[in-house]
Amino acid sequence: MKLYELRQLLNEYDQTWYARKSIYGAHERAKKLKQYLKKFANKQDNYELTSADIFKLLQKIPEITAPDSNLQLMQSIRKKLEEHYLLDIYIVLNNAGMIHENNFASIYALSFESRSLLHRLFCGFQSQRIRLNQEILATVLTLTSQLPHSCVLIEQSLRFLESKNHLTSTALNLLTSKTNELGIVVTLLQELDKANCFDDECLKHFVARKSLYSIDTLISLLNRAKITLNEELIQKIGTNDQAHLLIETLSILLSAKEFDLKMEHVTSLLKQDFSFFIEKNSVLKLLQKNDLLDNQIFDYVDTHDIFSFGQILEILSQKSLLKDNQEIIHTIINKKLDSYRAYRAIHYLKKADVLDQNTLTSYYKLLLIKPKEGLFVTDVFSFFELFEKSHFYMNQEELGVLFSLSDANLQQFYGVLSRLSASELLDHQSFAKALQRVTDKLSPVSESTMSKKSKKETNTPRSEFLLDNKHSFFAQHSDSYESGGFGKVKKGYRFLDSDEPLYGIKKLNEPDLNKAQKAAIREVKYHRLLGREAFYFSHKGKAHIVSEWQRELSLDHYHANELLQIPMEKRVLCLSSGLSDLNTLHQHYRIHGDVKCQNFVLNLTMESMKLIDFGTSHKRGSTKSFGWTAAYSDPYTFGDHFCKDLYAMGLVTMYLFPEIYTVSFENGKANISVHKSNFTITEQAIVNLVQAMMHSEPHLRCTSEHALNYCNELINHFNQIDDSLLETITNSNINRTHATIEDKLRM
């Protein structure tokens, strides 16, 4: 209101009541107005009256507020002040003794919407008014001044509290302390009322919070779950800083078809920190999305480290394999398998792009067989780790083969692939070669049927044997037979009167027929592997082995002076023959295990040196125990390795060339000496070979294939060899400057 408006109204009064004033004087109310305006004598007409000015005007001239005043001057001033409900509000508050200059200033500054709200709350029909006291008025003025555009929410909150007869200090404090979250407060109050938990004891916990963000939604979810709220639970909610994350968890749980949310779940979740929800919510969401979330699975997620479990869910979900493989999930939560191993395997299968229902099923079957990793145990999952480190990714065919391998083959295969990987030689080609080598099986051996006609029946000096109705021979009878720890050997002849034996018939001493038959099968297999004729049969509870008769003596029967009489070239040919037999075993992933002079039969006529006695021969990496000859044992190597055969072969080679070495065996030890320091070119060739076979660093030893090729090169150039050619032959065969795939297969 402008000052000139009051002055103008007063001038109009003076003109209208001029005659009366001369007789009776001015009205008392007009006098008060004149007196009031005197303090503005120095003010210009366009001076805007302040709220304080108007408040003092109403206080000095209370008649202005009288609705039945018949003085036009008062009616005109009242009309000016009635704009935007100001006068109505003043009258109600003044009558209640609650108006003062400060709160009047607040009311005067309110927008039309805010004054309308005050008017509805305090000045409307009596039935529509809310209670009025200083605290309520202060609350309304605070809210309307801070939230001029939220009058609907303010009114909603106040009328709700009024309807519940709960316009208490705590409730009003909640409104004024959370003005920026008034919408949340309104919903929160309604949800607390639904939960029968609407009292000051509960409200004070929310007043104490810095923010109510998400609290209303949290209480709403608990109501939806029919969780009984009490002051203790409200206190925990009031002090919880992870409400927004807890809401996500509860929403997931309430959406799960098979999950029943209980008070203990809520209590447990309220104790969790930020990291818990960040880690678990994504997992729970995946489980719920695939209809896998039930109380048992939730308990597992709630109480365990679930990184690996979560990764499994994520991968299977990406491949659309999660929903149809609930059994795998339950196997993990029931702790029947290690989740980390399962994750690493599934992660590798995905990375190799071979993860589908078939591979997952095969993998799961293996998990059930071997649910936990064992110390020093190699299994399919060890391969996945190795392959991932080597950036080698199998195809479906290779994976199928890997799943089908036995424990023993897995152990051996892993060793080979580890060596290939360490040398950066692992690829699909080397994988196939290693697999073929490790899984190589010697041809099966069946027991021969045997029919016998004893010498008593035929009245002849020899008994007649017929094997498999096609192999016949006549066995000698004597008071003495060749024998050893294994048993005794009879001679078998082609004809009744033959002088030269055709077969040796070994009768095994082993009393356990089952063990004896296994030993017989093994020996027959190795004879046949080397292209030799051999059979076995059982007779009177004993196993018998029939193999080619070796007419000549073993190498150990030859003395140094006898060997020196044999030309060196012929001895190199014999050595090549022995290495050829050994190489054949190694090519088929078999170790002889007892290479020594006694196990080589020297045939000077055939220029051969046949490897015999396969009682200790076995597949590399076999877990069975076998005997050995201590004097030929390798001091540089432990475990089961092809290079042990090579070390022993070095000692055999030394014995074969006494012009260079003197070798004797006593008390389980080989005694070696070298005769000279200056060698002929052929002697140097033998020295090079021995050094390569017996190198103190096993990984630098030559293989039996290298040694064989070296010998053959020497034989081919025996009469033309010189230092340069020898160096070339040595470097190209037995000096291992870089490893090949074949080298790694023979380590």
Side-chain angles (χ1 to χ4, degrees), residues 413-426:
F413 195 32
Y414 182 81
V416 178
L417 295 184
S418 295
R419 295 190 290 274
L420 289 170
S421 174
S423 300
E424 298 183 355
L425 293 172
L426 180 57

Side-chain angles (χ1 to χ4, degrees), residues 169 224 228 349 357 401 448 697:
S169 297
R224 178 180 154 195
T228 302
L349 294 175
Q357 188 58 57
V401 171
S448 294
E697 295 188 44

Side-chain angles (χ1 to χ4, degrees), residues 361-536:
T361 300
S362 299
Y363 153 76
Y364 178 58
K365 289 178 180 177
L366 284 174
L367 284 178
L368 294 181
I369 297 170
K370 301 178 188 178
K372 295 184 179 179
E373 185 177 13
L375 189 63
F376 307 123
V377 173
T378 301
D379 54 24
V380 168
F381 317 107
S382 305
F383 283 82
F384 293 156
E385 292 180 358
L386 173 67
F387 293 159
E388 190 156 10
K389 289 178 184 176
S390 306
H391 305 291
F392 173 74
Y393 300 104
M394 292 186 294
N395 55 41
Q396 288 281 6
E397 183 180 355
E398 291 166 337
L399 183 64
V401 171
L402 191 66
F403 280 152
S404 68
L405 293 179
S406 66
D407 286 351
N409 279 340
L410 281 174
Q411 191 83 16
Q412 295 157 8
F413 195 32
Y414 182 81
V416 178
L417 295 184
S418 295
R419 295 190 290 274
L420 289 170
S421 174
S423 300
E424 298 183 355
L425 293 172
L426 180 57
D427 56 22
H428 292 284
Q429 180 185 7
S430 62
F431 180 95
K433 286 185 176 180
L435 179 65
Q436 186 277 327
R437 192 67 58 88
V438 169
T439 58
D440 180 72
K441 291 185 177 181
L442 302 185
S443 299
V445 172
S446 300
E447 182 174 357
S448 294
T449 60
M450 184 275 292
S451 61
K452 176 184 177 183
K453 293 181 181 179
S454 68
K455 64 176 184 175
K456 292 181 180 179
E457 293 178 66
T458 59
N459 198 26
T460 59
R462 295 173 180 171
S463 297
E464 182 180 358
F465 288 81
L466 180 63
L467 300 182
D468 301 323
N469 291 319
K470 57 182 177 180
H471 303 286
S472 64
F473 57 87
F474 295 86
Q476 75 169 129
H477 290 275
S478 172
D479 294 332
S480 62
Y481 300 100
E482 291 190 27
S483 62
F486 53 83
K488 60 182 180 180
V489 180
K490 293 183 179 181
K491 295 177 181 178
Y493 300 86
R494 183 179 296 278
F495 303 109
L496 185 62
D497 55 355
S498 297
D499 294 327
E500 287 293 326
L502 177 66
Y503 297 116
I505 306 150
K506 184 191 295 185
K507 179 181 179 181
L508 301 183
N509 283 335
E510 172 60 54
D512 186 327
L513 181 59
N514 184 50
K515 290 182 179 179
Q517 287 176 329
K518 288 181 179 179
I521 289 171
R522 180 171 62 250
E523 190 155 345
V524 170
K525 279 185 177 181
Y526 284 99
H527 277 295
R528 292 181 180 179
L529 177 63
L530 295 175
R532 304 170 192 170
E533 197 173 30
F535 315 91
Y536 91 95

Side-chain angles (χ1 to χ4, degrees), residues 55 93 235 271 455 470 493 515 558 711:
F55 178 76
L93 296 181
Q235 181 181 11
K271 296 176 182 177
K455 64 176 184 175
K470 57 182 177 180
Y493 300 86
K515 290 182 179 179
Y558 289 81
C711 280

Side-chain angles (χ1 to χ4, degrees), residues 26-237:
H27 291 87
E28 189 64 29
R29 288 162 284 178
K31 291 179 181 179
K32 291 180 181 179
L33 179 59
K34 283 184 179 182
Q35 186 65 32
Y36 173 79
L37 289 175
K38 283 182 180 180
K39 69 176 183 177
F40 299 102
N42 296 326
K43 299 290 185 182
Q44 299 292 325
D45 282 347
N46 62 353
Y47 172 75
E48 182 78 35
L49 294 177
T50 66
S51 61
D53 296 333
I54 294 173
F55 178 76
K56 290 174 182 177
L57 173 64
L58 294 173
Q59 291 286 303
K60 285 185 176 294
I61 313 174
E63 291 85 354
I64 295 173
T65 63
D68 55 351
S69 175
N70 57 5
L71 184 62
Q72 183 64 39
L73 176 60
M74 295 296 104
Q75 292 177 2
S76 297
I77 296 174
R78 179 185 177 92
K79 188 174 182 180
K80 292 282 186 183
L81 296 176
E82 275 185 339
E83 186 179 6
H84 298 168
Y85 306 114
L86 180 63
L87 200 57
D88 285 351
I89 296 170
Y90 172 84
I91 292 170
V92 170
L93 296 181
N94 189 55
N95 291 340
M98 296 182 191
I99 196 71
H100 50 74
E101 186 174 337
N102 288 338
N103 61 20
F104 182 81
S106 298
I107 296 168
Y108 188 81
L110 292 177
S111 66
F112 170 73
E113 291 82 1
S114 297
R115 284 194 204 164
S116 297
L117 173 59
L118 262 69
H119 190 270
R120 291 194 299 275
L121 293 175
F122 302 127
C123 308
F125 294 113
Q126 194 66 38
S127 61
Q128 295 177 352
R129 296 183 185 184
I130 67 170
R131 276 176 295 162
L132 178 60
N133 58 38
Q134 288 287 6
E135 191 174 20
I136 294 172
L137 176 61
T139 298
V140 174
L141 292 178
T142 298
L143 294 174
T144 52
S145 62
Q146 293 185 21
L147 303 171
H149 304 298
S150 300
C151 291
V152 173
L153 275 177
I154 296 170
E155 184 172 8
Q156 187 179 357
S157 61
L158 291 168
R159 291 199 181 282
F160 178 81
L161 291 173
E162 174 70 14
S163 69
K164 300 301 176 182
N165 195 28
H166 207 83
L167 281 166
T168 63
S169 297
T170 303
L172 295 174
N173 191 15
L174 179 62
L175 296 181
T176 55
S177 64
K178 303 294 183 293
T179 53
N180 292 332
E181 299 175 314
L182 192 59
I184 295 175
V185 172
V186 172
T187 306
L188 175 62
L189 295 175
Q190 294 170 345
E191 292 298 332
L192 288 172
D193 182 54
K194 290 178 185 178
N196 296 319
C197 204
F198 185 63
D199 57 44
D200 281 354
E201 288 301 312
C202 291
L203 292 181
K204 69 181 181 182
H205 297 298
F206 299 116
V207 172
R209 283 184 65 91
K210 290 183 179 180
S211 171
L212 294 178
Y213 174 68
S214 298
I215 293 295
D216 57 332
T217 307
L218 175 56
I219 301 297
S220 176
L221 287 172
L222 294 176
N223 282 338
R224 178 180 154 195
K226 299 181 180 179
I227 299 296
T228 302
L229 299 184
N230 53 41
E231 198 269 334
E232 182 182 359
L233 184 60
I234 292 296
Q235 181 181 11
K236 292 177 181 177
I237 293 172

